[in-house]
Amino acid sequence: MIAKTKIIHDTKGLLEALPTLNLDVPDYLYLATDNSRCAKAELYVKEGDHIYLGQVLGMRDGGFFKQPIHATCSGIFDGFEEHYHRSGKKVKFLRLKNDHKDEWDPSLKPRSSEEIAKLTRKDFAKIFEDNAMVGLGGSSFPTHIKLNNDKKIDVILINAIECEPYITADVRLMYEDIERVVRGISFMQIAFECKKALICIKAKHRGLIALYREYLKRFPDSGIEVKPVGNFYPQGWEIAMIKSALGIDIPSGHLPSEYGIANFNVSTVWGAYYAVKYNRPVISRRISVSGDGIKFPSNFIVRVGTLLPTVLERCGGYCHPDKDKVFILGGPMMGASLPSDDCVITKTVTSVLVFDYEKKEEQPCIRCGSCVYTCPTGLEPKQIMDAVKAFDKPRIKALNPLKCIECGLCTYVCTSSIRVTDYIRRAKMFAKMK
């Protein structure tokens, strides 16, 4: 009998218990001129210019928003190179020659607790915009946009679920930097004038839940609580998280803010702490590096702009250098596959997975229904796939593929090794056409 698949084989193993290592900042760092949300950029510096850490080097244009490009080292703007971006595309990067002095832009000044307490919601939005704060769980959605509305927020949800296999960066952050995580949450409470905040953690993480509950006893009036949620995948999807934490169903096409809810990834509130307190952008982040293709899976703090080969070298290199590799930035279910290791760690990279390539032949669909039973949004992946193969645009639109969250479960459960999710992605492109 076909059953709904909600559990992904746990491949985190000991990686979750390994402490995070600081990776040495390399001699050269690379910053994308454009990214998945911003198609173009204007530069404020020219080759040979001296730069400061945190200095705005240019401005990306996302159409309905602007995004500053911040230097992640001090040194010299040394020209351009092309590398793969986490989006899977090859783009132009600024090459920064690191002087290893980490001299911060002198215009960046810290704020006192008294100053922070007086900030308005618009003030917070401007701080996040100026510091290019985005969703650090991988979404890269601009944080300031979530604050630029007048919706009353009754509860803030912190997504500390990290439900994809292999990824352990958020768990390590929560164990190793608890004070800044909680302070970052408190800043969001000030921004939204919201008393209640829930830290959503999978129920199986008993040690982490106990740690935060014990720590929060020091702040009995904070309004911050721990909320254990389900152990299934994709529990990290905001709709599933809201349902588990609050019992509220958010209909398709509606925003959580319409229901008095704001939600942020735990790494995002950690970054928000530095933006608000020190007026500093995210220059480093925690990442997990794992997979059967490398010798020593590890957790690292990596300076934004580091080339992937530098990180993999610290992992001892490849287990089998003679074998072809599969490179994934992000989780195995929703991450981006790259053709080589010639890519850059950006601030929205949560993990790097390296696998030895194994060819799997697709077999004909046997109409088992696994993808239909398993889809968390109630779609019919098999029907969508057939419509894509037939180039039947009216049928594609009628099947509403835009509801797909690209969780990858339909591919994961397919008994015929069909990459169903790829067909759904193509269907979403067709559905957007007029």
Side-chain angles (χ1 to χ4, degrees), residues 99-131:
D99 63 9
H100 295 281
K101 295 180 180 179
D102 275 355
E103 293 182 312
W104 280 94
D105 184 333
S107 68
L108 304 180
K109 305 294 185 183
R111 295 180 178 86
S112 67
S113 297
E114 291 74 21
E115 289 173 317
I116 294 170
K118 295 177 182 178
L119 294 173
T120 66
R121 187 158 165 174
K122 288 185 177 180
D123 292 333
F124 279 97
K126 185 66 166 62
I127 290 169
F128 295 147
E129 184 176 16
D130 290 346
N131 285 281

Side-chain angles (χ1 to χ4, degrees), residues 122-189:
K122 288 185 177 180
D123 292 333
F124 279 97
K126 185 66 166 62
I127 290 169
F128 295 147
E129 184 176 16
D130 290 346
N131 285 281
M133 277 300 306
V134 296
L136 297 182
S139 73
S140 75
F141 187 79
T143 305
H144 73 273
I145 293 177
K146 290 189 175 185
L147 282 84
N148 274 333
N149 63 65
D150 57 1
K151 295 284 193 302
K152 183 180 183 299
I153 298 300
D154 301 309
V155 58
I156 298 169
L157 297 185
I158 306 303
N159 189 335
I161 295 167
E162 202 165 49
C163 61
E164 282 213 54
Y166 295 99
I167 306 176
T168 63
D170 282 352
V171 168
R172 294 314 312 169
L173 166 65
M174 294 189 71
Y175 273 118
E176 296 167 350
D177 213 350
I178 186 170
E179 180 180 356
R180 292 177 182 85
V181 167
V182 173
R183 289 287 300 280
I185 296 171
S186 72
F187 291 165
M188 290 300 187
Q189 290 175 289

Side-chain angles (χ1 to χ4, degrees), residues 86 155 247 313 358 424:
R86 67 173 290 270
V155 58
E313 182 181 355
E358 292 183 12
I424 311 299

Side-chain angles (χ1 to χ4, degrees), residues 45-307:
V45 291
K46 62 183 184 298
E47 290 185 39
D49 281 357
H50 178 269
I51 57 173
Y52 289 102
L53 179 60
Q55 179 182 338
V56 176
L57 305 182
M59 189 70 68
R60 298 188 187 104
D61 188 347
F64 63 94
F65 69 93
K66 303 285 187 180
Q67 187 179 79
I69 303 172
H70 293 99
T72 53
C73 69
S74 57
I76 302 293
F77 168 41
D78 197 43
F80 299 92
E81 286 185 17
E82 282 196 345
H83 298 281
Y84 283 103
H85 183 263
R86 67 173 290 270
S87 62
K89 299 178 181 178
K90 206 161 196 177
V91 302
K92 187 166 67 174
F93 284 80
L94 309 180
R95 182 176 63 240
L96 311 183
K97 186 176 182 181
N98 186 7
D99 63 9
H100 295 281
K101 295 180 180 179
D102 275 355
E103 293 182 312
W104 280 94
D105 184 333
S107 68
L108 304 180
K109 305 294 185 183
R111 295 180 178 86
S112 67
S113 297
E114 291 74 21
E115 289 173 317
I116 294 170
K118 295 177 182 178
L119 294 173
T120 66
R121 187 158 165 174
K122 288 185 177 180
D123 292 333
F124 279 97
K126 185 66 166 62
I127 290 169
F128 295 147
E129 184 176 16
D130 290 346
N131 285 281
M133 277 300 306
V134 296
L136 297 182
S139 73
S140 75
F141 187 79
T143 305
H144 73 273
I145 293 177
K146 290 189 175 185
L147 282 84
N148 274 333
N149 63 65
D150 57 1
K151 295 284 193 302
K152 183 180 183 299
I153 298 300
D154 301 309
V155 58
I156 298 169
L157 297 185
I158 306 303
N159 189 335
I161 295 167
E162 202 165 49
C163 61
E164 282 213 54
Y166 295 99
I167 306 176
T168 63
D170 282 352
V171 168
R172 294 314 312 169
L173 166 65
M174 294 189 71
Y175 273 118
E176 296 167 350
D177 213 350
I178 186 170
E179 180 180 356
R180 292 177 182 85
V181 167
V182 173
R183 289 287 300 280
I185 296 171
S186 72
F187 291 165
M188 290 300 187
Q189 290 175 289
I190 296 172
F192 286 106
E193 298 182 51
C194 176
K195 179 66 176 176
K196 185 176 182 180
L198 301 179
I199 306 173
C200 300
I201 305 174
K202 278 191 173 182
K204 67 180 181 180
H205 292 298
R206 297 182 182 88
L208 195 58
I209 291 170
L211 172 66
Y212 270 73
R213 282 179 170 165
E214 188 64 30
Y215 183 79
L216 289 170
K217 287 179 180 178
R218 306 180 186 188
F219 313 101
D221 299 321
S222 69
I224 304 173
E225 300 175 18
V226 175
K227 180 66 178 180
V229 293
N231 295 319
F232 64 87
Y233 179 85
Q235 175 67 98
W237 173 37
E238 68 173 9
I239 302 303
M241 177 181 67
I242 292 169
K243 175 66 174 176
S244 290
L246 302 172
I248 297 173
D249 285 303
I250 306 294
S252 177
H254 291 261
L255 297 173
S257 60
E258 297 174 35
Y259 294 78
I261 304 165
N263 58 284
F264 300 93
N265 175 267
V266 67
S267 289
T268 305
V269 295
W270 171 85
Y273 165 79
Y274 285 97
V276 175
K277 179 64 180 175
Y278 296 104
N279 209 25
R280 292 178 177 179
V282 172
I283 63 162
S284 298
R285 71 154 299 144
R286 283 171 170 78
I287 65 170
S288 305
V289 186
S290 190
D292 61 17
I294 56 169
K295 290 183 179 178
F296 308 118
S298 305
N299 298 305
F300 293 114
I301 294 177
V302 178
R303 186 66 62 94
V304 171
T306 300
L307 286 172

Side-chain angles (χ1 to χ4, degrees), residues 319-336:
C319 291
H320 306 100
D322 55 318
K323 290 187 177 181
D324 290 335
K325 299 289 184 288
V326 175
F327 301 95
I328 300 174
L329 293 192
M333 306 298 289
M334 301 182 72

